[in-house]
Amino acid sequence: LRRILQNEYHVGVLATDIKGLMKISDQYGRTEGDHVINTVANLLKDHFPGSMCICLGNGEMITVVMSYKNIEEEMTESFSQMSKQLEKLSLLNAKGYNYGVYYGIETGTPRNKEEMERLANMAVLKKNAHKVSEDKYHTGDKLTHEEMIEAKIVKKLLDNNEFRYHFQPIVSAKTGE
């Protein structure tokens, strides 16, 4: 964050969530789920070089990209290319399951920690909105009146910076890693 603020970088935040990860882990074992997580993390690293990637657990990841210029279009294009590559890898896996990624992208030039958190929150909100929309599309469901009210409340909370995510690293009790 200090480097971002000192250099007045433009920042892009990509929030991702692996589709079907829980089902893969349940049906094929945690090792197979971990393989999918590593596949996605490596693709993020390859398609967003120089970025910082934070794994939040359960297949959710935050990728932060820094640049001297606005990078929203570049991030969207890089993600599109990554998504196509991920689709090919998913189709080639020997066990026959499919996976993909829900995503949300938010860009800006944060001037403090709160603005940086807001970028991350908005990327997560967009990712969650894509996830809900896609899930509703596949099931043929529509948002209920209550869901619409809840979505508006959450959007207002995020827009007014009243709701924040706090990230905690996962540490092994045995090794400290």
Side-chain angles (χ1 to χ4, degrees):
L1 181 61
R2 187 180 348 221
R3 189 169 44 154
I4 291 168
L5 298 176
Q6 287 173 345
N7 294 301
E8 297 181 4
Y9 282 128
H10 289 273
V11 174
V13 178
L14 169 66
T16 56
D17 190 355
I18 300 171
K19 298 176 186 177
L21 181 62
M22 187 182 305
K23 185 177 178 182
I24 293 166
S25 292
D26 287 347
Q27 289 183 351
Y28 301 98
R30 185 179 173 105
T31 302
E32 197 65 28
D34 289 347
H35 171 73
V36 172
I37 291 170
N38 287 328
T39 299
V40 172
N42 286 329
L43 284 172
L44 285 167
K45 185 177 78 175
D46 292 346
H47 286 271
F48 298 95
S51 64
M52 297 174 282
C53 185
I54 303 161
C55 295
L56 305 175
N58 296 327
E60 291 186 282
M61 299 176 202
I62 298 285
T63 304
V64 179
V65 180
M66 297 175 290
S67 176
Y68 285 110
K69 60 184 175 136
N70 190 331
I71 52 176
E72 185 167 8
E73 286 182 28
E74 291 174 28
M75 285 188 71
T76 302
E77 179 59 31
S78 291
F79 180 80
S80 177
Q81 291 172 7
M82 185 197 101
S83 189
K84 289 174 186 171
Q85 189 174 357
L86 186 62
E87 187 177 328
K88 288 177 188 174
L89 290 172
S90 175
L91 293 172
L92 293 175
N93 84 65
K95 305 231 173 158
Y97 58 79
N98 291 319
Y99 56 93
V101 177
Y102 301 107
Y103 75 99
I105 296 173
E106 186 69 15
T107 61
T109 308
R111 292 186 263 306
N112 55 44
K113 178 182 158 190
E114 289 75 24
E115 289 181 11
M116 185 64 206
E117 286 178 356
R118 185 170 169 7
L119 286 177
N121 289 340
M122 290 305 294
V124 170
L125 178 67
K126 288 178 178 181
K127 181 257 312 172
N128 289 341
H130 283 141
K131 185 175 183 178
V132 168
S133 294
E134 191 168 316
D135 288 348
K136 295 281 184 180
Y137 175 77
H138 289 295
T139 62
D141 293 341
K142 293 188 173 149
L143 288 178
T144 65
H145 180 68
E146 291 81 15
E147 289 173 323
M148 287 296 290
I149 291 171
E150 185 176 350
K152 287 177 184 178
I153 290 170
V154 171
K155 182 179 183 325
K156 181 182 176 200
L157 289 172
L158 287 170
D159 286 346
N160 294 330
N161 209 17
E162 297 172 19
F163 182 74
R164 297 192 179 138
Y165 286 89
H166 294 277
F167 306 105
Q168 179 177 349
I170 298 172
V171 179
S172 169
K174 289 183 181 179
T175 64
E177 292 181 20

